[in-house]
Amino acid sequence: MRLPALLTAALALSIVTGATQAREKTEHARIFGWVEKAEIEPWGVEIKAKLDSGALTSSMHARDIERFEKDDEDWVRFTVDVEDTNKDETVTRTYERPLFRNVKIRGAGGTERRPVVLMKLCMGQRIYEEQFSLENRDDMNYPLLIGRRTIQHLGLLDVTATFLHEPSCDDDSPVSREEGREDDEDIGT
C-alpha cells in the first residue's frame, strides 16, 4: 500500500473509533434534565435544583451566614430554609461547615465574595459531595443551582428535559467525594 492510502485508512479508522467511543460514552452516561429533584444529605429534604451550564460553581440558598473560627480553622454557620417537595412545607436547618474556599462573584450588581462549603446531595441513586457557594436565594425560583463543576460529575445535561431522576439514596449508595478529584480543564473559570 502506498503512504497516502495508509494515511487515508488510518484517518478513517480514527474517525470510526472516535465516533464509537463517543457513542459508548453517551450510552453509559447518566443524563439529567435542566431541573431535577435532589436531596440534601443526610437531612433527606427533597428540593428542586436547576442545572445551569452558565455557572461554574454550584450555589445553595442560605441565610444568616456567619463566618467564625473553630480549632484554628475558618468555618461557616448558615441556615437553610427550603420547601420540602415531598411534604410541601418549608423546613429549616442550621449547619456548621469548614470553609472550603472563598469565591469572587461578578454580576450586574457588582462583585462580592461568598463562602464555599462542601455539602452532600443525592441525585438519582448517587450521593455527590460538591462545592456550594452560599447566598440568599429567596428571590430565585430554585434554592439550589448546580454549576458546571458539579454537572461534570453527574453526567450529561439534556436542556430539553426535566425531572429525569428521583432521588433515591440509602446507606449503600455510591458516594462521589470532592477529595482528590480534579476539574476537567475544559469547564472554564
Side-chain angles (χ1 to χ4, degrees), residues 9-121:
L11 179 61
L13 179 61
S14 174
I15 291 170
V16 169
T17 302
T20 301
Q21 289 172 343
R23 189 173 8 343
E24 288 172 358
K25 183 178 179 182
T26 302
E27 289 171 1
H28 298 297
R30 292 172 305 277
I31 299 173
F32 289 83
W34 72 274
V35 178
E36 291 286 350
K37 290 181 182 176
E39 282 185 1
I40 301 173
E41 296 296 330
W43 192 12
V45 171
E46 187 177 278
I47 60 176
K48 290 180 186 175
K50 177 182 177 184
L51 282 71
D52 184 353
S53 64
L56 178 60
T57 302
S58 298
S59 181
M60 178 178 285
H61 168 67
R63 61 179 176 78
D64 303 328
I65 300 167
E66 175 189 352
R67 296 169 186 258
F68 66 99
E69 196 170 290
K70 180 177 179 179
D71 299 326
D72 294 325
E73 293 183 6
D74 294 327
W75 281 63
V76 183
R77 181 179 297 116
F78 56 98
T79 301
V80 175
D81 54 350
V82 293
E83 184 173 326
D84 185 336
T85 58
N86 274 335
K87 300 175 184 171
D88 200 28
E89 66 183 21
T90 300
V91 294
T92 302
R93 184 165 183 182
T94 299
Y95 288 94
E96 289 185 357
R97 292 281 189 270
L99 178 68
F100 186 75
R101 66 184 178 94
N102 288 294
V103 66
K104 189 179 203 177
I105 304 293
R106 292 180 188 91
T111 302
E112 68 176 292
R113 294 188 81 59
R114 293 183 193 154
V116 175
V117 297
L118 295 180
M119 297 290 289
K120 289 182 182 173
L121 289 180

Side-chain angles (χ1 to χ4, degrees), residues 3-13:
L3 187 57
L6 282 173
L7 289 174
T8 302
L11 179 61
L13 179 61

Side-chain angles (χ1 to χ4, degrees), residues 26 29-33 36 154-158 161 164-165:
T26 302
R30 292 172 305 277
I31 299 173
F32 289 83
E36 291 286 350
L154 297 177
L156 301 175
L157 173 59
D158 182 346
L164 298 177
H165 300 272

Side-chain angles (χ1 to χ4, degrees), residues 135-166:
E135 70 168 318
N136 188 325
R137 297 181 56 83
D138 268 341
D139 57 342
M140 304 293 190
N141 290 332
Y142 303 98
L144 200 57
L145 181 97
I146 306 294
R148 293 188 308 275
R149 188 173 270 127
T150 299
I151 293 170
Q152 73 176 331
H153 304 132
L154 297 177
L156 301 175
L157 173 59
D158 182 346
V159 299
T160 66
T162 58
F163 305 114
L164 298 177
H165 300 272
E166 286 288 325

